[in-house]
């Protein structure tokens, strides 16, 4: 089945609309224009919010069965048009075609899990009589939608991160307004196409394209919007949180994740896993491995195995079946990465591999001897750069892993169950992977970070909880005449 091309239009409350002013969408690999989208303005966002007030009533009144049917139909549409969705992701973003296919499959799965979880949107009975004086009360709570969800998404997973907001949003009975990243809006519009095909009633969903500076504040500051579900950088998250006022916030932010390699680890496995964790999606993944702490007696052996793996990462054109790593999202970002690496080398760091840039392509890069004060250690690089550190023992590895303002996920490689347990207790993160890198996620698990990595948890079941609210129903049993 062929899909419609949605270039040039955005979705306002279920209607595809055009605007004269357009923003070009580029392929970062060659700067070719691959499409365009309306440059939405504050009035468009205001219209979306006004119409979503009707949309939230319609969404709330959809039965669970209707929500499930729509979600399942949308998932089938994505599966049936997998190659088309994958090409869109690969063209507008920086993923290779194989990475894009895998994201498309996951997005369909996320929507299907949402359909399944809609069934479990339940409450439970409450024992009011645990407090003295309440023996004549009975009741329960049930979950109700929060109303209007503002979903703001980043460029790096342009389809599945939309799925993580729209699927649970609809399963929980909300209206959803999506503001996709300006660099990768076409995947979001394709997701909207799937929901329109699936028969989602109009007014429940809007995808308003445009620059954050034109449409961001209207959405964030609106008193009609009940929840902001944001995925993106820490600085943006902080700005949004300051402006949002009294509304629910879910913040999925960045990280500079650590991996710990102990001297009893399977070093080959650790090298393969951390290479993939560091360079998948050209390192533009919130879960990317950025800092690797290796026990000193195996440091040299690990380094050798790791560098061998890194040299084998095939870079090149994103649409080629054999490419494993494409460019970063634009040349400006590649230049920033280059600058951070230069700052580190000027402070004494050594480049073991890579360190070169051509346009938006930055080679898989490994450094050692990076001083603790370097931006590369403290901040999120969000590019294909990884740092190796020698540590004395697990204690030092944990301490240094925690010594940053992020805490999304971490990995530890060891055969020692005690060390694994200790790390899982002491690492200040949202998830610890044993014998795997931080770069592991399934869409049904609770996912999120602490510190600068976020607030709340995504993962369909958990998002549905965040996107719904408990309402208590308490009956007082009155005496009847005997
Ligand atoms: P970003 O610059 O923070 O942008 C994310 C989204 O926020 C975009 O849609 C952007 O719109 C919008 N935005 C920017 N400034 C805004 C403002 N003042 N008000 C309202 N919206 C605003 O992030 P990015 O560069 O696209 O993505 C990379 C970041 O996302 C990394 O830090 C990565 O770790 C994080 N991330 C986290 C997770 C997670 O689940 N924890 C997953 C993926 C990515 P414009 O495009 O129009 O600027």
């Amino acid at each position: 089945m062929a899909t419609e091309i949605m270039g040039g239009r955005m979705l306002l409350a279920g209607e595809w609309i055009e605007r004269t002013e357009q923003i070009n969408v580029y392929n970062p690999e060659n700067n070719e224009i691959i499409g365009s989208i309306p440059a939405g303005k504050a009035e468009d966002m205001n219209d979306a919010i006004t119409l979503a007030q009707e949309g939230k009533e319609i969404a709330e009144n959809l039965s669970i069965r209707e929500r499930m049917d729509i979600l399942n139909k949308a998932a089938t549409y994505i599966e049936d048009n997998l190659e088309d969705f994958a090409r869109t992701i690969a063209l507008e973003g920086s993923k290779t075609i194989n990475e894009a296919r895998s994201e498309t499959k996951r997005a369909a799965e996320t929507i299907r899990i949402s359909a399944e979880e809609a069934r479990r949107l339940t409450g439970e009975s409450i024992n009011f009589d645990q407090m003295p004086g309440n023996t004549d009360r009975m009741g329960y709570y049930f979950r109700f939608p929060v109303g209007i969800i503002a979903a703001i998404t980043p460029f790096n997973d342009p389809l599945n991160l939309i799925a993580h907001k729209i699927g649970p949003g609809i399963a929980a009975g909300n209206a959803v307004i999506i503001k996709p990243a300006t660099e990768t809006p076409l995947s979001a519009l394709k997701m909207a196409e799937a929901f329109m095909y699936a028969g989602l009633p109009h007014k429940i969903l809007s995808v308003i394209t445009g620059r954050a500076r034109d449409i961001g504040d209207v959405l964030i500051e609106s008193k009609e919007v009940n929840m902001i579900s944001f995925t993106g950088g820490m600085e943006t998250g902080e700005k949004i949180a300051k402006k949002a006022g009294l509304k629910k916030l879910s913040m999925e932010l960045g990280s500079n994740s650590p991996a710990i390699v102990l001297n009893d680890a399977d070093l080959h496995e650790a090298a393969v896993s951390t290479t993939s964790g560091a360079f998948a999606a050209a390192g533009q993944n919130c879960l990317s491995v950025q800092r690797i702490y290796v026990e000193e007696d195996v440091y040299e052996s690990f380094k050798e195995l790791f560098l061998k793996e890194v040299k084998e990462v095939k870079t090149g054109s994103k649409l080629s079946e054999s490419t494993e790593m494409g460019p970063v999202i634009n040349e400006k970002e590649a230049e920033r990465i280059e600058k951070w690496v230069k700052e580190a080398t000027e402070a004494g760091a050594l480049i073991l591999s890579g360190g070169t840039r051509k346009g938006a392509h930055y080679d898989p890069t490994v450094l050692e001897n990076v001083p603790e004060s370097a931006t590369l250690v403290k901040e999120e690089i969000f590019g294909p750069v990884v740092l190796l550190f020698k540590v004395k023992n697990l204690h030092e590895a944990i301490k240094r892993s925690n010594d940053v303002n992020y805490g999304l996920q971490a990995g530890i490689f060891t055969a020692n169950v005690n060390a694994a347990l200790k790390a899982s207790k002491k690492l200040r993160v949202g998830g610890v992977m044993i014998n795997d890198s931080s770069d592991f996620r399934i869409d049904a698990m609770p996912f999120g970070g602490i510190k600068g990595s976020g607030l709340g948890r995504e993962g369909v079941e958990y998002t549905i909880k965040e996107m719904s609210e408990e309402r208590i129903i308490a009956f007082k049993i009155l005496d009847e005449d005997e």
Side-chain angles (χ1 to χ4, degrees):
M1 184 196 317
T3 57
E4 296 172 56
I5 302 295
M6 283 304 160
R9 296 192 279 169
M10 63 183 176
L11 191 76
L12 175 65
E15 305 284 346
W16 292 104
I17 58 161
E18 291 175 13
R19 289 288 176 265
T20 324
E21 196 186 327
Q22 296 273 313
I23 300 172
N24 288 333
V25 182
Y26 295 90
N27 178 349
E29 192 162 287
N30 49 21
N31 280 329
E32 268 173 25
I33 296 172
I34 53 166
S36 71
I37 44 149
K41 298 292 173 210
E43 308 83 78
D44 296 310
M45 195 52 96
N46 270 323
D47 288 349
I49 296 167
T50 304
L51 291 164
Q53 288 174 63
E54 290 172 58
K56 74 179 182 190
E57 305 286 336
I58 301 168
E60 180 172 2
N61 288 328
L62 285 178
S63 68
I64 293 289
R65 168 54 64 180
E66 285 168 322
R67 295 178 205 176
M68 289 173 68
D69 287 347
I70 291 165
L71 288 160
N72 276 321
K73 210 167 163 192
T76 303
Y77 183 85
I78 299 168
E79 286 157 357
D80 287 349
N81 295 285
L82 188 135
E83 205 53 33
D84 186 19
F85 275 77
R87 259 185 83 80
T88 305
I89 295 172
L91 278 174
E92 70 174 346
S94 60
K95 287 192 171 178
T96 65
I97 188 68
N98 284 313
E99 289 174 329
R101 284 182 190 126
S102 134
E103 178 175 347
T104 306
K105 284 182 200 150
R106 277 184 64 182
E109 181 71 6
T110 302
I111 301 292
R112 274 211 199 287
I113 304 169
S114 302
E116 261 314 296
E117 287 297 334
R119 275 184 213 284
R120 291 186 266 279
L121 197 64
T122 55
E124 56 182 28
S125 60
I126 308 282
N127 294 324
F128 293 109
D129 59 353
Q130 62 192 280
M131 281 288 281
N134 289 294
T135 48
D136 54 358
R137 283 184 204 271
M138 289 172 73
Y140 57 91
Y141 75 82
F142 198 70
R143 303 196 79 88
F144 285 83
V146 298
I148 300 177
I149 312 269
I152 305 177
T153 52
F155 72 82
N156 64 316
D157 283 315
L159 190 70
N160 195 30
L161 292 177
I162 303 273
H164 268 286
K165 302 194 188 299
I166 205 171
I170 287 167
N174 296 287
V176 183
I177 301 173
I178 293 174
K179 187 256 166 276
T182 302
E183 249 132 356
T184 55
L186 302 176
S187 306
L189 292 166
K190 289 213 80 65
M191 178 62 86
E193 185 185 300
F195 276 92
M196 291 303 99
Y197 172 83
L200 183 71
H202 285 202
K203 303 210 171 126
I204 293 180
L205 178 66
S206 285
V207 179
I208 303 297
T209 56
R211 297 183 183 91
R213 63 169 181 267
D214 295 329
I215 56 176
D217 285 357
V218 179
L219 184 62
I220 296 160
E221 291 172 2
S222 166
K223 291 206 183 317
E224 309 305 332
V225 168
N226 306 94
M227 174 177 177
I228 297 175
S229 174
F230 173 74
T231 303
M234 181 174 71
E235 273 180 31
T236 316
E238 277 185 333
K239 275 189 206 154
I240 290 175
K242 279 189 189 136
K243 286 184 182 168
L246 271 186
K247 48 176 73 86
K248 281 188 115 178
L249 287 182
S250 157
M251 292 274 156
E252 296 291 330
L253 310 178
S255 195
N256 53 8
S257 300
I260 298 174
V261 181
L262 297 186
N263 57 15
D264 58 5
D266 178 332
L267 294 185
H268 177 255
E269 179 62 33
V272 171
S273 172
T274 47
T275 301
S276 145
F279 302 113
Q284 299 159 110
N285 176 353
C286 55
L287 294 175
S288 283
V289 176
Q290 186 169 327
R291 300 171 289 140
I292 307 182
Y293 297 100
V294 188
E295 264 193 313
E296 56 191 3
D297 40 346
V298 292
Y299 182 84
E300 292 303 328
S301 336
F302 175 78
K303 184 166 105 180
E304 192 181 322
L305 288 167
F306 183 65
L307 289 174
K308 186 167 167 281
E309 291 300 320
V310 175
K311 297 250 187 281
E312 281 171 16
V313 174
K314 287 192 190 67
T315 58
S317 171
K318 290 176 293 175
L319 292 185
S320 155
E321 295 291 336
S322 61
T323 299
E324 290 169 326
M325 194 187 101
V328 297
I329 192 66
N330 55 45
E331 195 162 347
K332 208 167 136 232
E333 273 297 285
E335 284 166 0
R336 176 192 57 79
I337 293 162
E338 191 174 40
K339 192 168 144 222
W340 287 20
V341 170
K342 188 160 177 267
E343 180 215 86
T345 52
E346 283 172 0
L350 211 64
I351 294 179
L352 299 174
S353 186
T356 42
R357 179 180 74 81
K358 197 167 167 216
H361 283 271
Y362 196 79
D363 274 343
T365 297
V366 185
L367 291 103
E368 68 177 356
N369 291 341
V370 185
E372 283 298 302
S373 57
T375 312
L376 270 184
V377 180
K378 296 292 177 210
E379 301 303 331
E380 178 186 40
I381 181 74
F382 220 58
V385 178
V386 66
L387 322 178
L388 297 184
F389 299 98
K390 199 182 282 182
V391 289
K392 281 195 178 54
N393 50 32
L394 175 62
H395 176 75
E396 184 187 348
I398 293 175
K399 193 165 176 300
R400 290 174 71 176
S401 292
N402 287 340
D403 192 22
V404 290
N405 188 27
Y406 289 106
L408 191 51
Q409 292 201 152
I412 173 164
F413 296 86
T414 179
N416 178 345
V417 71
N418 202 49
L421 283 170
K422 185 163 183 190
S424 61
K425 247 184 116 173
K426 296 287 177 195
L427 285 164
R428 310 286 302 146
V429 287
V432 178
M433 307 302 139
I434 317 293
N435 288 324
D436 206 343
S437 84
S438 52
D439 184 22
F440 172 77
R441 177 181 188 186
I442 63 162
D443 297 292
M445 74 187 210
F447 177 73
I450 60 166
K451 300 193 271 184
S453 290
L455 287 177
R457 291 292 178 268
E458 276 198 347
V460 178
E461 176 190 345
Y462 310 91
T463 315
I464 289 179
K465 288 220 171 83
E466 305 261 355
M467 291 184 173
S468 59
E469 285 165 332
E470 297 87 347
R471 186 178 302 159
I472 288 277
I473 319 293
F475 291 85
K476 184 169 180 189
I477 304 164
L478 302 177
D479 280 341
E480 285 192 42
D481 294 340
E482 301 266 316

